[in-house]
Amino acid sequence: MEPKQPNESQILADVAELRDRFSHTQTLYKEVAALLFFRYGVTPTANKLYQLVRKGSMSAPAQALQTFWEELRDKSRVRLDVADMPEELQALTGELLARIWQEALSHSKQQMEHYQIQADERVAQAQAQTRQAQSELEAGQGDLKRAQAQIAQYHDNLQRAGQEQAALKQDLLHANQRQNELEIEKQGLQQELRRQSEQFTLDLERLQKAIELTEERAQANERRALLEIDKERSIQTRLRQHIEEAEQTNKALRQAHEQELNQQQDLLQKLRQELGQEQGERRALQAALDISHSLAKELQGQVQMLRTRTALLERENDELRKKAQLLSQELKQAQSQPVRSLRLKRRLIKSDPEK
């Protein structure tokens, strides 16, 4: 009669039935070992017995398992005693069977340890690769934070430029008021010049000298203004370069994370295939394969976490791209407005030589 296929739920049900029938710990462990070996064709181990029974200390299943094998070996010797053969031959045959039995147990144990070591090595390799991926992801997050800090600094510089522009507008308003006042004074001067022709000549000469001085000052102010405009343009160029570099860095990080996720998925698929092959070849290693499956599920959860973090990074990149576009628009506005302010200042200087 062939042994039944191992069914975890059926085994647990049979163990529960044996627990009700046998209250003694050692007897219960031996009955469970006999159930696994004779009914399901599974070689019992101390860990497997303790997982099913969970009674007593860790040494209890090992002691019960040793007693089970000794009783099974003794029962085999008793069956040899029934045979009609000389006592010496019976003794030699019993010792030979016992030696064969011990060799079979030793060989089975060695094979189990070999496959257990292989499974542990593969699990350790998968864990190391997962830790490496985690460290690379943390490094990418650090680069992203530094890029965000640089963009925030550029935004502060843009705000300061906006404040300076507001101050220039306020100066322009005062200049317009002053221009109106000067216009009124000019009308009074014209009336006074009509009454005093001689004084007009003297005032005209003084005015010409003042105009020449004012033109020289205006040219100097124009040169300084041009230098400031060139400086602002160079700052804007550097801002655009930093923004482009940040976008390229974020794009490279996103591609690296996607490639790493694909590698993790390939590794997970490969581990599943290897574990499936080992499960088909060695049913006796069911417990070790269950542990490997649970570790594979943990790896899958970590891969899902990496996907979630990559999605968050992509959202942050989109926000950074929107902020960069807003900064570019504000920079264009700031670039066009100082030129108008400079023209208004030049008109004001020409209209007010004394100032």
Side-chain angles (χ1 to χ4, degrees), residues 42-48 65 69 104-120 278 282-289:
V42 177
T43 302
T45 61
N47 290 332
K48 185 65 176 179
L65 186 61
W69 293 124
L105 289 179
S106 177
H107 182 67
S108 177
K109 184 177 180 181
Q110 290 176 359
Q111 288 183 343
M112 174 182 275
E113 292 177 353
H114 175 68
Y115 286 110
Q116 181 68 33
I117 291 172
Q118 288 183 349
D120 292 340
E278 291 180 2
R282 299 292 178 182
R283 293 180 181 176
L285 298 177
Q286 184 67 35
L289 290 176

Side-chain angles (χ1 to χ4, degrees), residues 54-256:
R54 293 189 180 278
K55 187 176 181 181
S57 61
M58 289 296 295
S59 61
Q63 183 178 358
L65 186 61
Q66 183 179 2
T67 305
F68 169 75
W69 293 124
E70 291 177 355
E71 290 180 355
L72 185 61
R73 186 172 60 253
D74 292 339
K75 289 180 180 178
S76 299
R77 290 179 179 176
V78 170
R79 285 197 294 270
L80 290 175
D81 293 339
V82 176
D84 188 9
M85 62 176 64
E87 294 181 357
E88 295 179 357
L89 184 57
Q90 290 179 1
L92 291 175
T93 304
E95 293 177 358
L96 180 60
L97 290 175
R99 187 177 302 170
I100 292 173
W101 180 261
Q102 291 294 333
E103 291 293 335
L105 289 179
S106 177
H107 182 67
S108 177
K109 184 177 180 181
Q110 290 176 359
Q111 288 183 343
M112 174 182 275
E113 292 177 353
H114 175 68
Y115 286 110
Q116 181 68 33
I117 291 172
Q118 288 183 349
D120 292 340
E121 290 176 353
R122 290 171 182 168
V123 170
Q125 184 179 4
Q127 290 176 349
Q129 292 177 353
T130 302
R131 288 193 295 270
Q132 184 179 1
Q134 182 68 24
S135 62
E136 292 178 357
L137 180 60
E138 292 176 355
Q141 290 177 350
D143 295 336
L144 182 60
K145 289 180 179 179
R146 286 191 291 273
Q148 290 176 349
Q150 291 179 356
I151 291 175
Q153 185 178 1
Y154 300 151
H155 185 66
D156 293 338
N157 294 333
L158 184 61
Q159 287 181 349
R160 286 194 294 271
Q163 293 175 357
E164 293 177 357
Q165 183 180 0
L168 290 174
K169 289 181 180 180
Q170 189 68 25
D171 294 338
L172 179 61
L173 179 62
H174 293 314
N176 290 330
Q177 294 177 356
R178 179 58 179 169
Q179 185 177 3
N180 294 329
E181 294 175 358
L182 290 174
E183 187 66 26
I184 297 172
E185 293 178 0
K186 182 180 178 181
Q187 294 176 1
L189 288 174
Q190 288 176 352
Q191 293 176 1
E192 185 67 24
L193 287 172
R194 286 193 296 268
R195 290 193 300 267
Q196 298 178 0
S197 58
E198 293 179 355
Q199 189 67 30
F200 172 78
T201 303
L202 297 175
D203 293 339
L204 181 61
E205 293 176 354
R206 186 175 64 254
L207 182 61
Q208 289 177 348
K209 293 180 181 179
I211 288 173
E212 292 176 355
L213 181 60
T214 303
E215 288 180 352
E216 292 176 357
R217 292 178 182 177
Q219 291 177 358
N221 291 332
E222 183 177 1
R223 287 193 296 269
R224 285 196 298 272
L226 291 174
L227 291 175
E228 291 177 356
I229 290 173
D230 293 335
K231 183 177 179 181
E232 289 295 330
R233 287 177 179 174
S234 62
I235 292 173
Q236 293 172 6
T237 302
R238 287 196 299 271
L239 285 175
R240 293 193 190 96
Q241 292 177 354
H242 286 303
I243 290 172
E244 291 176 356
E245 291 176 358
E247 290 179 350
Q248 293 177 358
T249 302
N250 292 330
K251 182 178 180 180
L253 288 174
R254 184 170 63 255
Q255 292 176 353

Side-chain angles (χ1 to χ4, degrees), residues 28-66:
L28 179 58
Y29 274 117
K30 288 190 293 183
E31 291 296 329
V32 173
L35 175 70
L36 294 176
F37 185 76
F38 291 108
R39 182 176 297 182
Y40 294 101
V42 177
T43 302
T45 61
N47 290 332
K48 185 65 176 179
L49 292 177
Y50 187 78
Q51 289 177 0
L52 294 173
V53 178
R54 293 189 180 278
K55 187 176 181 181
S57 61
M58 289 296 295
S59 61
Q63 183 178 358
L65 186 61
Q66 183 179 2

